[in-house]
Amino acid sequence: MASLKDISVVVEGAAESRSIRSGEKYVTPQGFTAIKDGQKSRGAEAAPTGRKPAWIRAQLPVGAGFGATRNIVHEHRLATVCEEAKCPNIGECWNAGTATIMLMGAVCTRACRFCSVDTGNPRGWLDAEEPENTARSVELMKLKYIVLTSVNRDDLPDGGARHYADAIRAIKRRTPQVAVEALTPDFQGVMKDVEAVVDSGLEVFAQNVETVKRLTHPVRDPRASYEQTLAVLEHAKKHRPDVLTKTSLMLGLGETDEEIAQTMDDLRAINVDLLTLGQYLRPTLHHLEVQRFVTPAEFDKYREWALAKGFRECVAGPLVRSSYRAEQALNGNNAGIENHGAGWGKRGKAADPNQDTTVDAAFPRFPHPAPTIPTVRWLGKVEYEPTWREMQRITDARDANTPDEIWLLEHPPVFTLGLNADAGHVLAAGDIPVVKIDRGGQVTYHGPGQLVVYPLIDIRRMGLGVRDLVTAMERAVIEYCASLGIEAATKQGAPGVYVKGRKIGSVGIRIRRGSSYHGLAFNVNMDLEPFQRINPCGYAGLQMTQLSALGQPDATVEQVGRDFAPFLTRALEEIRARSTSARAAT
């Protein structure tokens, strides 16, 4: 059982229903009637869609890993969304020992015309032991990230919200270090039920909008609606701003580019953080036909749209599903998917962990996969000195397998002096502490309302130079400001970013053992008075500015951090790619 990563729990009798033909009714072991694959047979069916394009190629569901996982699933009478929803990635995921946990049975009370999960009325049936069984499975499998999903249960008074929450709390009791993503029903728009799940201790709350507004019906069941999903996502974010919200769109159902862009705008208007985009594939002849096959290049285009609109990440590709590689959603690299390559769906660029992943012979070899964009972490408000010491510790302890990270945070009030700074630039510290540190530059101020960005990156491994890293941070600030209609720029010989001569972003880094720490201070919505007590960055009379004074009066550090992160990860990747290309050319 420990070989199964994201085990999917429940439903006695799920295996028995597999012998029933698609579209036929059957009686479950619990005594209620269900329809196999969710849609009744309608007699004369439309002809199958023609041959799929070359890029719709999933790994075949064969192999030792696939067989072992299938045996575990069937032996323990588990219901997986992988099988129930006919996921095209079942071969890849099961060969890697991964699956997705599906709660509350394998029979849904709704009958969406894209979905092949069986439909029926469970009449209140629930496995009372499921929450604890789920938690035990997660503990045995030693997971770091788990996705829970479920059928809709409109037959239950709370839509199953309490059962869902009980499962999450049970996981957190046994394995508090495990991050939990919940892809939930809409609970018929009852917000107290939404709150019950959001308050259970999860990290990511997901509810799928599935398609654009115009196509919601007939694509989704009449009890679902575009507006209801938006309302659920909006309420979840407002109720718990620290929880990431996520949704998914299927493409190829007849939507237009304008409708895709409008849906993205609607989602960003309610601060949805994460978006996935995938190709709709018709599961049976009883379901909706495919209207078009979206090309890999189009998926790349839509992902760029989403990032430009401010999504923290958009994972997009022909075979992407809402929980596919969910644990990689914050890596900033499309979860390792390369739509432009021949091998769509490979888990990373290097199949051999000992493969040479360097950009050229001038760089050392590392016995681990090729460098990816760093993981972004939001730390909240943290004290300055302990954070600095932790960055030093991580840098000193780095080895070839230490992952790169970008920390987003804010500090309580503090003045910091660079390694060779002139203390005379501190004019009147008053009650604000002054800390002598080991970065470059002179003196600056950190305080509430300022976004601080610390890239902890092995720059040699990424193929970056020191100037490349500084340029990426400056460019990200400039491009993020441009997305808000603010014209920002750099100054010759003066690191940082300026708006009409006033500084909005300061840069100061330290490189040790080929790795970076310290970073960027980006003024969002803060008290600028402490800057008058110093010569900022060593320049007497330098004026500062911030987003709240530039047409963004309601800007918050956390939201700006989430919106800014994709700009920084994209700038790092573009500069890394350019540097790699330049070295290859020479």
Side-chain angles (χ1 to χ4, degrees):
M1 193 163 181
S3 67
L4 182 64
K5 182 184 173 215
D6 291 343
I7 199 169
S8 191
V9 179
V10 287
V11 183
E12 297 181 8
E16 288 86 333
S17 74
R18 295 187 185 99
S19 63
I20 309 299
R21 294 179 60 185
S22 179
E24 291 183 348
K25 289 185 178 181
Y26 68 95
V27 178
T28 71
Q30 293 78 34
F32 59 86
T33 302
I35 298 171
K36 179 65 177 171
D37 293 335
Q39 295 291 314
K40 294 179 181 178
S41 174
R42 291 177 171 81
E45 301 294 343
T49 305
R51 184 182 180 89
K52 294 185 179 72
W55 60 81
I56 305 289
R57 283 187 189 147
Q59 182 175 319
L60 289 175
V62 295
F66 174 84
T69 301
R70 179 181 58 186
N71 290 340
I72 293 169
V73 167
H74 293 178
E75 178 184 348
H76 293 276
R77 295 185 302 174
L78 307 172
T80 65
V81 74
C82 317
E83 286 188 303
E84 302 303 328
K86 295 180 172 58
C87 180
N89 301 311
I90 190 171
E92 176 187 350
C93 295
W94 282 24
N95 268 307
T98 69
T100 297
I101 295 181
M102 190 163 75
L103 302 175
M104 299 192 291
V107 176
C108 184
T109 54
R110 298 187 186 179
C112 298
R113 293 195 61 198
F114 67 87
C115 180
S116 66
V117 171
D118 296 0
T119 187
N121 184 354
R123 303 183 187 280
W125 175 86
L126 273 178
D127 178 1
E129 297 179 355
E130 183 178 61
E132 286 299 328
N133 288 340
T134 302
R136 280 196 293 271
S137 299
V138 171
E139 183 178 34
L140 285 172
M141 292 182 287
K142 297 181 172 60
L143 303 182
K144 294 182 180 179
Y145 194 104
I146 185 69
V147 179
L148 303 178
T149 189
S150 79
V151 292
N152 278 278
R153 291 297 302 271
D154 299 311
D155 60 309
L156 299 172
D158 65 351
R162 185 175 65 179
H163 189 84
Y164 226 121
D166 286 345
I168 296 169
R169 280 192 288 267
I171 291 170
K172 290 294 186 177
R173 279 195 302 271
R174 285 181 172 269
T175 52
Q177 75 281 6
V178 172
V180 177
E181 175 179 322
L183 172 57
T184 76
D186 61 18
F187 302 114
Q188 301 184 67
V190 178
M191 297 310 170
K192 66 179 178 63
D193 296 332
V194 174
E195 291 173 6
V197 177
V198 175
D199 287 337
S200 63
L202 51 71
E203 279 72 27
V204 181
F205 176 87
Q207 219 284 302
N208 285 345
V209 72
E210 307 293 7
T211 188
V212 299
K213 184 176 182 179
R214 176 177 61 87
L215 297 176
T216 297
H217 302 126
V219 171
R220 301 177 72 185
D221 185 276
R223 285 163 288 189
S225 77
Y226 184 84
E227 293 80 6
Q228 185 161 281
T229 293
L230 292 184
V232 166
L233 290 165
E234 181 177 26
H235 188 80
K237 191 66 176 178
K238 287 182 176 178
H239 183 66
R240 286 291 303 278
D242 58 316
V243 170
L244 296 177
T245 49
K246 177 179 177 181
T247 196
S248 181
L249 272 173
M250 299 175 293
L251 304 183
L253 286 160
E255 68 288 328
T256 66
D257 276 8
E258 292 76 13
E259 288 173 321
I260 294 171
Q262 183 60 58
T263 303
M264 291 180 181
D265 288 340
D266 291 344
L267 294 168
R268 284 302 302 138
I270 58 172
N271 293 320
V272 171
D273 300 293
L274 305 172
L275 174 66
T276 67
L277 304 173
Q279 171 71 53
Y280 167 67
L281 296 175
R282 190 183 192 186
T284 76
L285 292 180
H286 310 310
H287 290 78
L288 292 170
E289 294 183 62
V290 175
Q291 298 300 312
R292 66 162 177 148
F293 287 106
V294 182
T295 67
E298 287 177 303
F299 276 110
D300 282 340
K301 176 183 72 174
Y302 297 142
R303 179 172 186 264
E304 288 301 312
W305 288 4
L307 295 178
K309 290 175 183 294
F311 285 96
R312 185 166 178 173
E313 175 60 297
C314 173
V315 178
L319 298 182
V320 166
R321 296 298 179 263
S322 54
S323 58
Y324 181 58
R325 302 188 188 178
E327 75 280 2
Q328 300 183 45
L330 299 183
N331 287 359
N333 66 340
N334 202 27
I337 298 165
E338 297 180 55
N339 289 320
H340 60 279
W344 192 97
K346 291 181 179 178
R347 289 181 177 265
K349 298 181 181 178
D352 180 356
N354 294 311
Q355 179 179 339
D356 178 11
T357 63
T358 58
V359 291
D360 61 35
F363 286 79
R365 296 188 176 205
F366 296 97
H368 61 281
T372 60
I373 292 299
T375 299
V376 179
R377 295 177 58 196
W378 166 249
L379 303 187
K381 187 180 291 186
V382 293
E383 293 290 335
Y384 182 85
E385 194 155 358
T387 307
W388 166 39
R389 296 301 182 192
E390 180 64 8
M391 290 192 292
Q392 287 181 317
R393 186 197 65 77
I394 290 172
T395 302
D396 289 342
R398 267 188 178 276
D399 61 22
N401 297 303
T402 303
D404 295 328
E405 296 185 340
I406 296 173
W407 294 358
L408 306 180
L409 51 101
E410 60 182 327
H411 287 306
V414 62
F415 292 119
T416 64
L417 282 168
L419 190 62
N420 299 309
D422 180 353
H425 287 306
V426 180
L427 307 178
D431 58 351
I432 298 177
V434 179
V435 180
K436 183 80 171 179
I437 57 172
D438 58 350
R439 63 159 170 78
Q442 291 289 328
V443 62
T444 194
Y445 168 69
H446 298 305
Q450 180 188 71
L451 173 65
V452 179
V453 182
Y454 290 144
L456 280 72
I457 295 174
D458 185 332
I459 64 172
R460 292 179 301 185
R461 183 170 64 194
M462 282 196 71
L464 295 173
V466 178
R467 184 63 233 178
D468 291 332
L469 179 57
V470 173
T471 298
M473 289 189 286
E474 292 174 336
R475 178 188 293 182
V477 173
I478 291 169
E479 292 180 352
Y480 175 69
C481 286
S483 74
L484 301 176
I486 300 168
E487 186 177 349
T490 57
K491 280 187 177 182
Q492 187 69 30
V497 179
Y498 299 78
V499 177
K500 296 181 179 178
R502 294 173 178 257
K503 197 165 195 177
I504 194 169
S506 303
V507 177
I509 61 172
R510 174 70 189 269
I511 304 297
R512 189 155 77 189
R513 303 179 68 233
S515 300
S516 68
Y517 58 104
H518 296 299
L520 167 72
F522 187 9
N523 302 336
V524 176
N525 194 348
M526 60 190 303
D527 180 3
L528 296 178
E529 183 275 332
F531 283 106
Q532 299 176 20
R533 308 187 197 181
I534 61 175
N535 292 328
C537 306
Y539 295 96
L542 177 63
Q543 297 296 301
M544 309 298 287
T545 190
Q546 57 185 328
L547 292 178
S548 62
L550 298 168
Q552 304 295 318
D554 299 322
T556 65
V557 171
E558 181 176 357
Q559 189 57 55
V560 170
R562 297 191 193 286
D563 295 344
F564 173 75
F567 288 85
L568 179 55
T569 55
R570 186 163 63 249
L572 284 167
E573 177 58 24
E574 289 173 353
I575 290 173
R576 187 192 71 81
R578 186 184 64 195
S579 298
T580 301
S581 177
R583 279 193 294 273
T586 58

